[in-house]
Amino acid sequence: MVGAENLITRPSELVVYECDGYTLEKETPPAVVFPNSTEAVASVVRVCREHEVPVLARGAGTGLAGGATPLGGGVVLSLARMKKILDISLRDRMVHVQAGVLNLELSSLLSDTHWHFAPDPSSQVACTIGGNIATNAGGPHTLKYGVTVNHVLGVTWVAGTGEVIQVGPEATSAEFDWIGLWTGSEGTLGVATEAWLRLTPLPLAHRTFRVIFQSVEDACNAVSRIIAAGLIPAAMELMDRGILQAVEDAFHFGFPSEAEAILVVELDGIPIALDEQERIVAQLCRDCHAQEIVSAASEEERALLWRCRKSAVGAVGRLSTGYFIQDGVVPRTRLPELVRRVANIGCERGVRIVNVAHAGDGNIHPILLFDERDPDEVRRAMAAGRAILEACIELGGSITAEHGVGIEKLPLMTALFSPDDLDVFWRVKRVFDPANIMTPGKLLPPPPRLSQQDEKNGQPR
Amino acid sequence: MNDPSVSTTLPSRDAKPGRAAPLPVTIPEEKILSCVHCGLCTATCPTYTLLGDENDSPRGRIYLMHAVVQGRLPITESVQTHLDRCLDCRACETACPSGVEYSRILEPFRLATAQAQPSWKRRADWFRQVVLLRIFPYPERIRRALTPIRLLQKAGLYEPMERMGLWDLLPARLRAMLTLVNASVPAGPPLPDFLPAKGRRRARVAFFVGCVADAMFRHVHWATVRVLQENGCDVVIPGGQCCCGAIHYHVADEEGAKRFADQNVRAFPVHDVDAVIVNHAGCGAMLKDYGHYWKDSQTPKRQEFAAKVRDINEFLDQLGLVPPIHPANLTVAYHDACHLAHAQGIVAQPRRLLSQIPGLRLVPLPESNMCCGSAGSYNLLHHDLATRLGRRKLENILRTGAEVVLASNAGCLLQIEREIRRARAPVAVLHPMELLDACYRGEKPRGTTNGRMARPSRAGRNTSGNVAG
């Protein structure tokens, strides 16, 4: 089906696949397969369905919620060898790629055109298009350009039945929005093997500057003031003092060590319009007690600033040997309150927490630090993480904005959704995956009305 | 990070009682734990890019090593294979935001696993014992070994014989080595003990000669010392110096490497010079690491020596280049040698030097910082992967339309030259100092037509992706 060279079954090689970027839970899979084509993926799924073996798709394994962790013993379906660029059509504003193509590779490939692929998750140097679709990945520029689903025109989908379904890329308004349904389903409804992606014109000019604040709250307030003034910057990104320490250590950018918060604002568009916008943003920031506003002096400095922001999470290893990262989201205006609560939760439970945030989206990533070798510290960090997400729900938000639920946020799904809501999710899942073999135990908590035995067999009572 | 290491004993498949007992080795577990498993390194790893298996990625290898150190895994053949496949190019270290010192985890681990092998097994490897350890580190022996090939090249028989597939009759590693021999270039006499600065004296430096670099790239050495002279440097070439020891170190002969290191430390008058200059990245990276590798009474002296070592690109950039007068009307691509870009962090300096050559057009080379597959002796030991990386490099070079490709490392020059020769592509493969030297002397750089070659121009295309104001 895939050939021996595309299959791993040796225990010493399987170990590496026991977790992704979320390392608190692990399980060694029984096998890893590396299909090279949609047909091969479909065959693997069909065989697994026949033998009732769970299947779990994996791209680059950079996910932060355990979405690619084979808990429950599923076969790992690695799409890392499916990385062909099938077609680039600038006239159609579209590329056709296999799911294992790296996010950044697309934009590099297009670097001598005026186009790029807009979704830019912070892991974009390494993460795959398939993973972006599975989690409906966002990124700093989500604020203006939207998340992955806004850039997917078509998908080749292998459902849990082993059927291959192609949707798009031509627009047909006379059908359900399958792409909308599948994108962000975290592998529970099937696997994307190919995608047609929309290209976005490169902006003609950028203005990127960093604004230094005395408090995170001031920075959050500035963000809401900017939006209220009718401006949608390309990105508004927040880093607090704790994370700045790691970032500075990694990249020696020269952030002032006494800064409590730094807001990175990027405006883009037609050069002539940017002067006025920059003036307004600067004024609003000063109204919110900004201490200093510094523009990126060159394209190199802008690139470094973005590298600092995008690699911030990876730089946490300089602060701690273990961490896990939350992905809370609240209405933007509630962000200052959430920040306060996160700080309190950290104090109360004795957990060190540092923050990065896509502030423009109300999406905050508190990073909880611990030493993996200290079980008590791990427990406290996990409890604090849960408390943060509960706070998000209380403030009218959600437990994930872009990382996905995975296994890490699964226990909170019941807090966020009613049994009736979850029942609807399950009914949808059964349409595409009647045997419940696709990524079981992720995203959806076990349906309450099924006994454990039934759930294993995927049969409703 | 300081080094609170745990002393651990590597479980080994060969560790049967009465036979080779496993050696206790020090694996710095803190260094392993500094990897937070984010995976940002994977995409920069050449072997992961080619193979798509996380066992062949930096994150995966660290995971394997950790599992072994924890005692979860024995060192099986497959673990060994995945670790051996690593090129040690250290691109992952450049990519890692957490500053994981991958190479400082891998190298002690490799040494430990090699030492855990029964010694007869290591000694039975003729290629390692004879070619790598007995011939390579000695320029005279390399030259003698090369004589038959040089004769074939002079008679014009080398390339036809290569194309006829005659080399295929040889053992794989010997064949790989044979195909890597560069074209015969007039090497010039051995370097003298001293060469004076031209014009105002700006610095006094000692020059490191090395082994393969001297046997196969003496013309590059001459170019380098002439460039130093042009830039107002007195150049001392100390006698008694030897190979840097990298070959020994990378094939797990730590003692041999240390002997070479100490011989070099004794040979160089570090108090008498402003810098020790090295013009090949692999040697430079090794010399700069002398202070880290061994802890004994000699450590301070090794550290003192290492602190003086400068790559030629780094040194000239710091000193301030005297711009050459003669133009080089050439389209040039620059390949980042791993041990320059990733091990020494020298990326901007050579480009800044090149930008001062009048007429020269430096075009961006796609994947310029991905290993060409040479990686020390890797292309001799892992021929298939090395060749795939070489082909990939070639394709990227050809895409740029460059007439010259530059690399600041012997291994890269050999590997890239072989690919260019096999493809019969009209591209000259040079060390940056050869190009600079030619421009000081007003000569045509070796293998080029200096601008007279008609090439499709890519001028005016936006290749940087930056359209901002």
Side-chain angles (χ1 to χ4, degrees):
Chain A
M1 195 186 312
V2 293
E5 72 283 5
N6 291 319
L7 175 70
I8 287 180
T9 51
R10 282 200 202 107
S12 66
E13 291 179 303
L14 293 170
V15 162
V16 165
Y17 290 90
E18 66 185 13
C19 62
D20 57 11
Y22 171 72
T23 55
L24 286 175
E25 289 167 81
K26 296 169 186 168
E27 186 164 331
T28 310
V32 181
V33 283
F34 300 86
N36 284 311
S37 65
T38 299
E39 250 329 294
V41 172
S43 317
V44 171
V45 171
R46 278 195 293 269
V47 169
C48 288
R49 189 187 173 190
E50 228 168 85
H51 296 88
E52 292 181 14
V53 176
V55 184
L56 174 73
R58 182 179 176 107
T62 53
L64 295 163
T69 297
L71 224 53
V75 168
V76 171
L77 184 78
S78 170
L79 292 133
R81 290 182 186 168
M82 287 185 63
K83 47 184 192 181
K84 285 200 199 87
I85 309 255
L86 300 166
D87 188 31
I88 301 177
S89 173
L90 297 184
R91 289 159 62 105
D92 291 321
R93 248 191 100 171
M94 187 164 76
V95 291
H96 180 200
V97 298
Q98 288 187 321
V101 166
L102 304 185
N103 175 300
L104 192 63
E105 196 183 334
L106 272 184
S107 295
S108 319
L109 207 71
L110 295 164
S111 66
D112 53 2
T113 72
H114 292 288
W115 300 93
H116 76 303
F117 180 59
D120 63 336
S122 296
S123 57
Q124 72 180 143
V125 293
C127 65
T128 64
I129 294 298
N132 294 170
I133 292 174
T135 55
N136 193 12
H141 291 82
T142 295
L143 179 59
K144 182 169 178 179
Y145 293 102
V147 288
T148 300
V149 70
N150 306 117
H151 301 269
V152 180
L153 297 168
V155 168
T156 303
W157 193 259
V158 176
T161 52
E163 286 163 291
V164 180
I165 311 167
Q166 189 194 315
V167 173
E170 302 81 10
T172 47
S173 46
E175 64 177 328
F176 292 124
D177 180 7
W178 302 115
I179 293 171
L181 176 62
W182 292 335
T183 306
S185 64
E186 299 188 34
T188 56
L189 306 180
V191 188
T193 56
E194 289 174 21
W196 288 263
L197 304 170
R198 169 183 284 133
L199 298 177
T200 305
L202 284 167
L204 290 174
H206 295 106
R207 292 289 158 75
T208 310
F209 40 96
R210 49 192 192 276
V211 190
I212 293 148
F213 287 96
Q214 266 303 18
S215 78
V216 177
E217 275 186 70
D218 284 346
C220 294
N221 284 328
V223 168
S224 286
R225 296 274 284 267
I226 291 167
I227 300 283
L231 289 174
I232 307 286
M236 285 197 275
E237 298 288 305
L238 182 84
M239 292 185 275
D240 78 355
R241 185 178 188 144
I243 192 75
L244 280 169
Q245 189 194 327
V247 167
E248 189 57 33
D249 193 23
F251 302 108
H252 313 290
F253 185 86
F255 295 117
S257 58
E258 70 285 356
E260 281 301 325
I262 285 185
L263 190 67
V264 176
V265 182
E266 181 158 284
L267 298 162
D268 68 8
I270 303 163
I272 199 167
L274 294 181
D275 291 334
E276 177 65 3
Q277 288 185 16
E278 187 174 355
R279 196 190 56 75
I280 297 171
V281 169
Q283 186 53 51
L284 292 170
C285 287
R286 273 192 288 270
D287 291 349
C288 295
H289 321 294
Q291 286 190 305
E292 210 185 334
I293 302 171
V294 194
S295 289
S298 61
E299 187 54 32
E300 288 75 40
E301 196 176 304
R302 173 175 171 255
L304 183 61
L305 192 57
W306 276 118
R307 183 146 190 246
C308 287
R309 167 57 194 91
K310 290 190 177 179
S311 297
V313 175
V316 165
R318 293 170 189 270
L319 302 177
S320 165
T321 57
Y323 75 94
F324 87 109
I325 178 169
Q326 283 301 354
D327 180 33
V329 59
V330 290
R332 192 176 39 245
T333 46
R334 312 293 297 270
L335 207 49
E337 191 175 347
L338 179 63
V339 168
R340 260 197 310 276
R341 290 222 202 167
V342 168
N344 287 341
I345 290 167
C347 284
E348 281 162 18
R349 291 166 198 264
V351 178
R352 189 169 170 212
I353 303 177
V354 300
N355 295 288
V356 290
H358 306 302
D361 299 315
N363 177 199
I364 187 164
H365 297 310
I367 302 170
L368 299 91
L369 309 180
F370 56 83
D371 187 334
E372 212 173 302
R373 293 163 295 186
D374 180 345
D376 181 55
E377 221 173 274
V378 175
R379 254 193 311 278
R380 274 184 286 136
M382 290 189 78
R386 194 184 160 108
I388 290 172
L389 293 186
E390 279 163 355
C392 289
I393 295 173
E394 262 176 58
L395 293 172
S398 175
I399 56 176
T400 178
E402 53 181 9
H403 294 175
V405 173
I407 45 183
E408 176 240 330
K409 302 180 195 82
L410 195 60
L412 281 150
M413 286 296 276
T414 44
L416 188 60
F417 295 105
S418 71
D420 286 345
D421 293 337
L422 291 170
D423 186 52
V424 173
F425 295 168
W426 270 104
R427 278 192 266 168
V428 172
K429 177 170 167 68
R430 284 190 202 107
V431 171
F432 294 97
D433 178 24
N436 189 24
I437 57 160
M438 299 308 290
T439 320
K442 308 275 165 69
L443 179 65
L444 298 176
R449 275 173 245 161
L450 294 185
S451 74
Q452 277 197 335
Q453 188 54 43
D454 286 343
E455 191 232 325
K456 203 175 153 210
N457 298 332
Q459 301 295 324
R461 204 174 34 186
Chain B
M1 199 176 285
N2 50 7
D3 243 8
S5 307
V6 288
S7 205
T8 179
T9 303
L10 284 176
S12 158
R13 67 201 138 102
D14 295 314
K16 287 179 193 144
R19 290 187 51 197
L23 294 176
V25 290
T26 308
I27 302 292
E29 198 184 14
E30 287 293 331
K31 285 196 193 301
I32 293 179
L33 286 174
S34 66
C35 170
V36 293
H37 216 251
C38 70
L40 295 192
C41 56
T42 53
T44 62
C45 176
T47 55
Y48 179 72
T49 303
L50 289 184
L51 302 169
D53 177 358
E54 290 185 40
N55 281 285
D56 296 311
S57 75
R59 177 174 77 170
R61 291 188 181 109
I62 290 176
Y63 211 77
L64 287 175
M65 290 188 274
H66 198 191
V68 171
V69 168
Q70 287 174 321
R72 287 177 62 200
L73 274 187
I75 304 177
T76 63
E77 204 144 320
S78 89
V79 172
Q80 193 73 56
T81 303
H82 292 301
L83 295 180
D84 283 349
R85 270 189 199 148
C86 171
L87 297 137
D88 207 4
C89 73
R90 298 166 71 173
C92 50
E93 292 186 27
T94 303
C96 178
S98 274
V100 173
E101 296 174 292
Y102 173 82
S103 166
R104 300 243 157 92
I105 303 170
L106 180 80
E107 301 224 331
F109 196 91
R110 275 184 171 171
L111 282 176
T113 51
Q115 281 159 7
Q117 272 193 346
S119 60
W120 61 264
K121 218 168 169 176
R122 274 185 289 160
R123 259 177 292 170
D125 182 352
W126 63 273
F127 189 78
R128 176 182 184 278
Q129 289 307 114
V130 178
V131 179
L132 293 181
L133 296 183
R134 291 282 148 74
I135 297 181
F136 263 150
Y138 306 97
E140 260 323 303
R141 296 186 197 168
I142 303 178
R143 257 190 290 272
R144 253 176 281 149
L146 281 176
T147 313
I149 303 168
R150 293 291 184 220
L151 286 174
L152 286 178
Q153 283 176 330
K154 280 190 188 127
L157 292 172
Y158 176 85
E159 283 193 51
M161 284 168 82
E162 183 179 25
R163 287 211 191 90
M164 280 163 67
L166 283 187
W167 300 167
D168 296 350
L169 305 172
L170 295 166
R173 293 181 290 186
L174 213 54
R175 178 176 72 221
M177 198 165 56
L178 198 58
T179 61
L180 280 169
V181 177
N182 56 350
S184 181
V185 178
L191 298 179
D193 297 337
F194 178 75
L195 289 160
K198 280 193 184 171
R200 186 173 65 88
R201 199 176 76 128
R202 299 163 74 203
R204 181 177 167 83
V205 300
F207 184 71
F208 176 80
V209 176
C211 56
V212 177
D214 187 43
M216 300 176 86
F217 291 98
R218 193 181 280 158
H219 53 287
V220 174
H221 280 354
W222 274 110
T224 307
V225 292
R226 281 193 297 261
V227 169
L228 282 166
Q229 288 178 287
E230 289 289 340
N231 281 275
C233 299
D234 277 349
V235 185
V236 186
I237 299 117
Q241 57 171 307
C242 61
C243 164
C244 65
I247 298 174
H248 280 69
Y249 195 80
H250 295 302
V251 297
D253 180 359
E254 208 184 353
E255 273 309 306
K258 193 162 91 171
R259 270 199 306 279
F260 279 143
D262 288 337
Q263 189 179 334
N264 279 324
V265 171
R266 279 193 302 275
F268 278 82
V270 285
H271 298 290
D272 181 41
V273 293
D274 299 306
V276 172
I277 302 295
V278 53
N279 58 357
H280 289 283
C283 318
M286 179 73 189
L287 298 179
K288 285 183 176 180
D289 264 345
Y290 276 3
H292 288 288
Y293 282 157
W294 307 280
K295 303 284 175 233
D296 58 28
S297 62
Q298 287 296 301
T299 305
K301 284 202 166 151
R302 289 190 207 111
Q303 286 170 339
E304 198 177 49
F305 171 85
K308 279 273 166 99
V309 176
R310 293 285 178 281
D311 177 76
I312 180 72
N313 295 286
E314 179 187 20
F315 177 77
L316 289 175
D317 180 62
Q318 215 171 1
L319 186 71
L321 185 77
V322 176
I325 318 158
H326 302 286
N329 295 311
L330 294 165
T331 306
V332 172
Y334 175 81
H335 158 74
D336 285 285
C338 299
H339 280 82
L340 204 58
H342 305 306
Q344 302 182 55
I346 297 172
V347 177
Q349 294 91 325
R351 291 177 167 88
R352 274 200 292 266
L353 298 181
L354 294 170
S355 70
Q356 296 176 59
I357 298 178
L360 182 132
R361 231 161 54 79
L362 186 64
V363 290
L365 173 63
E367 300 185 332
S368 74
N369 59 1
M370 182 177 278
C371 182
C372 64
S374 169
S377 50
Y378 189 92
N379 48 5
L380 306 179
L381 304 171
H382 301 267
H383 185 59
D384 174 51
L385 284 173
T387 302
R388 283 168 70 184
L389 286 170
R391 297 278 147 81
R392 194 176 170 113
K393 185 58 72 182
L394 174 75
E395 279 160 26
N396 280 324
I397 292 168
L398 296 182
R399 270 169 64 194
T400 64
E403 297 150 85
V404 177
V405 59
L406 299 171
S408 233
N409 185 44
C412 311
L413 290 169
L414 292 175
Q415 174 91 352
I416 294 172
E417 189 177 324
R418 174 180 69 184
E419 293 307 323
I420 298 276
R421 184 179 73 234
R422 284 181 170 173
R424 301 188 186 198
V427 182
V429 185
L430 301 175
H431 189 286
M433 291 307 122
E434 288 183 89
L435 191 58
L436 266 177
D437 177 46
C439 295
Y440 285 119
R441 288 147 63 99
E443 287 176 0
K444 190 178 69 147
R446 184 167 62 83
T448 69
T449 49
N450 204 355
R452 266 164 284 157
M453 197 183 290
R455 292 237 139 230
S457 166
R458 281 164 57 96
R461 288 179 73 185
N462 179 4
T463 49
S464 66
N466 162 30
V467 287

